[in-house]
Amino acid sequence: MINKNFVDFSILLLLKDKKEYLFSFFIFTFIVFLASSILFISDSIKHDLFIALDKQHQIIVKNTKSGRYTPLSEEHIDSILQISGVDNVKGKVDGYYYFAQDRRYFHIVVDESLDEHSMIISSEIKSILAKFKYTTQFNFLTQDGITSLDIKKVIKSNIISNDVILVNEDIARKILNMDEDEYSYLDVLVPNNSEIDFISLKIVDLYPDIKVKTKNDLKSDYEYVFYYKGGIFMILYIVSMISFFILLKNQISSVFGEKKREIAIFRSIGFAIKDIIFLKFIQNSVVALCSYFLGVFLAYIFVFIFGAPLLKNIFLGHDASHIIFTPIVDVKTLFVMFIFTVIPFLASILLPAWKIAVEDMSEVIK
Amino acid sequence: MRSKILIRNLYKIYNEKKENEFFALKNINLNIKCGEIVIIKGISGSGKSTLLSLIGALSKPSSGDILVNEQNIAKLPDIFSSQYRNEEVGFIFQSFNLVDGLSVYDNVKAPLVLSNINQDELKKKINLALEVANIAHKSQQMVSNLSGGEKQRCAIARALVNSPSLILADEPTANLDKNNSLIFVDILKKFKQLNKTVVVATHDTIFDNLAFVDTYVNIEDGAII
Ligand SMILES: Nc1ncnc2c1ncn2[C@@H]1O[C@H](COP(=O)(O)OP(=O)(O)O)[C@@H](O)[C@H]1O
Ligand SMILES: [Mg+2]
């Protein structure tokens, strides 16, 4: 049973020693803040990637020659349509335009709703074009001269849309220098999921040069990108760990010295070992909970409202300044983080508190 | 409740079976009746504090029994010896052992927070103890701002707050001036009237030849003489 007098008294002692707890409080808040920021950013990026992935059909077909991607033709579409189990095959035009002035590639994506004179660009691209005084339109250099398009709309930059320019299909062919019946890739619709692998094999059977990627392959590609970023995660985790050890050291030393005598005094007036541990548990739970929620709250504001300056560039490189993070909060991972931070935090104080409490109290008699 | 104490064949050996083994108490036998005031006298290092800490269950004897109201407190597990200290013993230490950073009131409250009594009763008990110890007028002061005599009266209030039947005082006048020492002697008399059993360890001659003291015990090199 929890005794209110005891809890009140524990909080009273906590407030009395607030200066000593402040250091732990700030370091712990910082760790939680850093870890939650990483979590929020990676969850948000994953979310956007997978949303984009969901819009795709189950099988993506690309053609290669000598290891390079080459366009596909109507003939490919027709023969893949023949395979039983395939519902539909769409030819897609998609590719990269090299913008030499800024030495950057723009990702050209088709949007059928646009006319021949306009395009939609991301806010990142908008800022790049603006550097070269293209504020209302842009001139693409193509095989047969210059193709000029008006900026119709600017969309938010996220991990997918950051380098995207949306144009009409004919314009896309022109910019990417593709013929009327050429496609960059084919999007194959297979209604029955269990047939996907089998149909993939059949397609490769038909054309040995063709590369087939299923949705699952793409998913693991994306995961792979995250492992590549793992090095950065490691550094951030090491920073967190170092802070954590500073924290633990501070926690432990807070029980020795002056506090050791205080514990002996409480023991002498009747606090049992379990009472001392419970006292420290209450105090440090209050500290841990407050800093945990403060850390998560600050991380949310930092990532989703301020767009995670500094950290964003670590994750996404220097072109990321316009990327916006979709607010995604995964309660499950927050909970796991809670377990992995709060429990060592509490243990770091309870073990030494216990050690002091079991010592004899002869100190008080001196 | 009143306390009687029976001590039999009590030994306390520090650093037992090591090179620096030291017999702090040797075969102590003592019988203290309910409501008695006992003064334990002896020079510094004779073993007075050690004896008090054993009676108060602050430490365990190496061998022998300490029966307080027929209960052998030498053999109690932590939960029960803590309960004994909390409910049956009031300590008054030489260095007062108050918790710095808390007010007089909160220091006196400390022993009560272990029991789940309601706020009214809590206040009543604290105020009564402050009254008896004559420190009620300073109840909201931080203990670090008190004089030596006031600190001791705060410690006395804390010792009394749970109405223990046994009071243990270790060198209670060592940090007091003459005037405050005499006040403490008066408080001892008050304890007598309240029918508390009291054990005082001291080398202060101010406690010599007091009419209301029931027993003087002399201790030398860990043995009663
Ligand atoms: N924890 C300890 N370890 C070793 N020796 C101790 C310890 N506590 C006390 N002593 C020794 O026991 C003897 C009695 O000490 P104490 O009971 O404090 O004497 P008094 O209170 O009469 O001055 C002293 O010689 C002291 O040095
Ligand atoms: Mg002593």
Side-chain angles (χ1 to χ4, degrees), chain A residues 365-366, chain B residues 43-50 94 170-171 201-203:
Chain A
I365 214 106
K366 278 170 195 145
Chain B
I43 57 161
S44 177
S46 53
K48 305 180 298 292
S49 297
T50 304
Q94 171 181 348
D170 188 30
E171 308 280 7
T202 185
H203 65 268

Side-chain angles (χ1 to χ4, degrees), chain A residues 97-342:
Chain A
Y97 172 82
Y98 184 62
F99 180 44
Q101 279 166 285
D102 202 33
R103 281 186 238 101
R104 301 237 342 200
Y105 284 95
F106 295 159
H107 187 189
I108 306 296
V109 178
V110 169
D111 181 339
E112 275 310 324
S113 65
L114 291 168
D115 63 32
E116 261 132 70
H117 308 290
S118 50
M119 61 179 174
I120 295 175
I121 61 176
S122 73
S123 47
E124 168 78 12
I125 301 234
K126 180 189 147 122
S127 78
I128 293 168
L129 296 185
K131 273 198 289 190
F132 299 93
K133 304 277 179 286
Y134 296 112
T135 48
T136 55
Q137 49 92 298
F138 177 66
N139 303 324
F140 290 91
L141 298 173
T142 59
Q143 209 70 356
D144 28 72
I146 284 174
T147 303
S148 197
L149 296 179
D150 296 331
I151 299 172
K152 186 182 163 194
K153 197 176 143 191
V154 177
I155 55 170
K156 281 190 208 164
S157 279
N158 70 18
I159 178 81
I160 297 289
S161 64
N162 196 38
D163 59 351
V164 161
I165 296 181
L166 294 165
V167 296
N168 169 298
E169 184 167 332
D170 293 336
I171 298 296
R173 284 182 201 283
K174 222 181 208 175
I175 294 172
L176 299 171
N177 192 23
M178 287 168 68
D179 283 339
E180 198 62 38
D181 68 337
E182 283 185 339
Y183 298 98
S184 316
Y185 67 91
L186 306 181
D187 206 346
V188 181
L189 177 62
V190 179
N192 184 350
N193 277 338
S194 62
E195 289 182 332
I196 290 175
D197 288 335
F198 177 70
I199 290 171
S200 302
L201 285 176
K202 277 223 153 159
I203 297 171
V204 180
D205 264 356
L206 281 175
Y207 304 101
D209 277 341
I210 263 179
K211 290 274 175 288
V212 173
K213 276 206 186 264
T214 65
K215 221 180 212 180
N216 283 339
D217 295 339
L218 282 173
K219 241 177 210 165
S220 35
D221 281 1
Y222 286 162
E223 305 274 5
Y224 178 76
V225 170
F226 276 95
Y227 288 125
Y228 147 72
K229 301 269 185 199
I232 293 146
F233 282 110
M234 270 318 286
I235 293 165
L236 291 172
Y237 277 124
I238 287 168
V239 170
S240 308
M241 284 322 277
I242 291 169
S243 324
F244 206 90
F245 281 113
I246 296 171
L247 177 72
L248 294 197
K249 204 192 140 282
N250 179 57
Q251 286 274 93
I252 290 165
S253 59
S254 76
V255 184
F256 293 94
E258 236 335 272
K259 285 285 151 301
K260 192 172 160 179
R261 183 175 174 82
E262 204 172 287
I263 288 176
I265 293 174
F266 287 128
R267 294 276 286 133
S268 76
I269 59 172
F271 284 47
I273 294 166
K274 70 166 176 53
D275 296 322
I276 298 292
I277 291 175
F278 191 44
L279 174 87
K280 291 286 159 193
F281 177 76
I282 293 170
Q283 294 178 333
N284 287 280
S285 299
V286 170
V287 173
L289 285 178
C290 289
S291 34
Y292 180 83
F293 286 111
L294 182 65
V296 170
F297 174 73
L298 290 178
Y300 188 94
I301 297 201
F302 174 70
V303 173
F304 297 132
I305 295 182
F306 291 104
L310 296 175
L311 262 192
K312 173 153 73 179
N313 296 347
I314 295 178
F315 269 85
L316 302 170
H318 62 282
D319 301 334
S321 49
H322 288 85
I323 290 189
I324 284 174
F325 295 110
T326 316
I328 294 296
V329 177
D330 184 353
V331 179
K332 215 164 58 196
T333 35
L334 282 182
F335 180 71
V336 170
M337 194 173 71
F338 181 84
I339 299 291
F340 276 91
T341 52
V342 172

